Amino acid sequence: MQSIACEELIMTADLSKAAPTLSEYYSETKCTWCDGCGNYAIRTAVKMALVELSLHPWQVCLCYDIGCHGNASDKIQGYRFHGIHGRVIPFAAGVKLANMQLPVIAFGGDGATFSEGVGHLVHGVRSNYPITFILHNNADYGLTTGQASALTWQEQPMNWSPNGIPERTLASMELLFSLQPTFVARGFTGNIKLMTRILQAAIQHRGFAFVDMLQACPTYDHFATHTYLLERCYDANAEGHDPSNIQAAKALATQTDDRIACGILYQREDVPSFYERLVSRHDVATTCVEEVKRYDVSRYWRSLR
């Protein structure tokens, strides 16, 4: 047994020294997304960003919400968690706080995130949890066959609301910037290189990194189509946008009628993360998971008899 354990340690050490490859993230599970779904591009960008950051599959935790995007949880290698609808952010935050050395990426759809999960998003940004959150934004619930979400456009007919939604469309970026975020970016699935660059920066960010990934839903979203996004999305950083200017960032993020600004819209690194604000963790060198051990509680049970 000892020789086997030593062999495993040697193999792990050798693999850690080797540069990661895209093939390490390959899963034999077949994709079930519709042809043309933006999830393919987002999954590719995630893998490319992780490889370029020299992260192997066992060196990152990927947390998925419920939805079409969540079906990627068994289509990529690594430590993966597939949670319940709208609740991925608190789980991802818990993973990160338990092991601050582990990069944690959470994925959620616009339906789950801005409906039942909106409270978790608010407190995720407010608390500045040091995780990356990727919003799969296609303005509908694809998994429930075209149900309108809180981000579906006003007066847009959908399968389950043929007369359009009776509620007002939620102004997602207005809400986000009202929470004083530390990282806001936007990508779209027609530009994998741009998404990869954004994700690299988001994963290395000090606090909560919000990444809005605009994607087409070719089956149920017939308004924000792939062609629509291709014609309007542009790289704001390439045009000279300064991501340290919050007023300019908010203006770019919210003004999407004619052109849609993508790239790193806003970032600041001078705000401590939630973990860094925990006084009880100051000067503690170990992670929480390293402090887990067995305790003898038999005397407590005896006191109850």
Side-chain angles (χ1 to χ4, degrees):
M1 292 292 290
Q2 187 174 0
S3 63
I4 294 174
C6 288
E7 274 188 7
E8 288 178 348
L9 285 173
I10 293 170
M11 287 176 63
T12 302
D14 290 342
L15 287 171
S16 296
K17 291 178 182 177
T21 61
L22 286 173
S23 61
E24 290 182 42
Y25 287 93
Y26 172 75
S27 170
E28 293 185 356
T29 306
K30 293 182 178 180
C31 289
T32 55
W33 296 315
C34 301
D35 291 344
C37 177
N39 288 332
Y40 292 104
I42 295 175
R43 185 188 59 160
T44 299
V46 168
K47 291 191 290 184
M48 291 177 65
L50 293 173
V51 167
E52 291 183 19
L53 290 173
S54 297
L55 291 169
H56 294 276
W58 64 86
Q59 294 174 314
V60 63
C61 182
L62 307 174
C63 306
Y64 294 87
D65 210 308
I66 296 297
C68 288
H69 80 278
N71 291 337
S73 62
D74 61 352
K75 298 170 182 64
I76 185 171
Q77 289 298 331
Y79 290 114
R80 296 146 296 157
F81 170 83
H82 199 172
I84 58 176
H85 209 213
R87 316 302 180 199
V88 72
I89 290 177
F91 178 86
V95 173
K96 182 66 175 184
L97 297 178
N99 186 357
M100 286 293 293
Q101 298 173 6
L102 182 70
V104 177
I105 305 175
F107 304 82
D110 56 284
T113 302
F114 285 96
S115 290
E116 59 267 57
V118 70
H120 297 308
L121 174 65
V122 167
H123 293 290
V125 178
R126 167 180 175 254
S127 301
N128 203 27
Y129 292 130
I131 63 174
T132 299
F133 177 70
I134 299 174
L135 178 72
H136 288 246
N137 189 353
N138 58 11
D140 70 21
Y141 289 87
L143 199 61
T144 51
T145 65
Q147 178 185 356
S149 78
L151 302 191
T152 300
W153 298 1
Q154 207 75 43
E155 300 179 357
Q156 177 62 44
M158 301 294 290
N159 278 5
W160 300 103
S161 50
N163 298 314
I165 57 175
E167 311 93 343
R168 291 190 302 272
T169 301
L170 190 65
S172 58
M173 283 297 184
E174 293 278 2
L175 171 62
L176 198 74
F177 274 93
S178 74
L179 302 172
Q180 300 179 21
T182 60
F183 186 103
V184 180
R186 180 189 282 139
F188 80 106
T189 51
N191 191 333
I192 293 177
K193 287 185 178 180
L194 176 61
M195 289 195 294
T196 302
R197 175 171 64 82
I198 289 170
L199 291 174
Q200 285 180 270
I203 294 168
Q204 296 178 95
H205 180 62
R206 183 180 185 180
F208 190 92
F210 179 88
V211 182
D212 181 17
M213 290 298 193
L214 303 179
Q215 64 176 111
C217 175
T219 304
Y220 301 112
D221 182 342
H222 303 297
F223 46 101
T225 63
H226 186 70
T227 300
Y228 178 94
L229 295 174
L230 278 175
E231 291 173 347
R232 290 164 176 79
C233 290
Y234 70 98
D235 185 348
N237 302 126
E239 294 192 7
H241 169 62
D242 177 9
S244 67
N245 186 331
I246 190 170
Q247 296 303 326
K250 181 179 178 181
L252 284 178
T254 56
Q255 296 169 8
T256 59
D257 290 338
D258 300 319
R259 302 180 77 205
I260 303 174
C262 295
I264 300 171
L265 303 180
Y266 181 66
Q267 183 174 14
R268 59 182 299 184
E269 294 282 2
D270 60 331
V271 179
S273 71
F274 179 87
Y275 189 89
E276 293 170 322
R277 291 181 182 271
L278 294 176
V279 176
S280 59
R281 301 304 297 178
H282 289 178
D283 302 319
V284 178
T286 56
T287 63
C288 293
V289 292
E290 293 170 332
E291 298 162 15
V292 175
K293 58 182 179 180
R294 290 179 177 270
Y295 291 90
D296 183 1
V297 297
S298 58
R299 64 189 181 94
Y300 298 108
W301 287 111
R302 286 195 296 271
S303 68
L304 296 174
R305 293 175 181 172

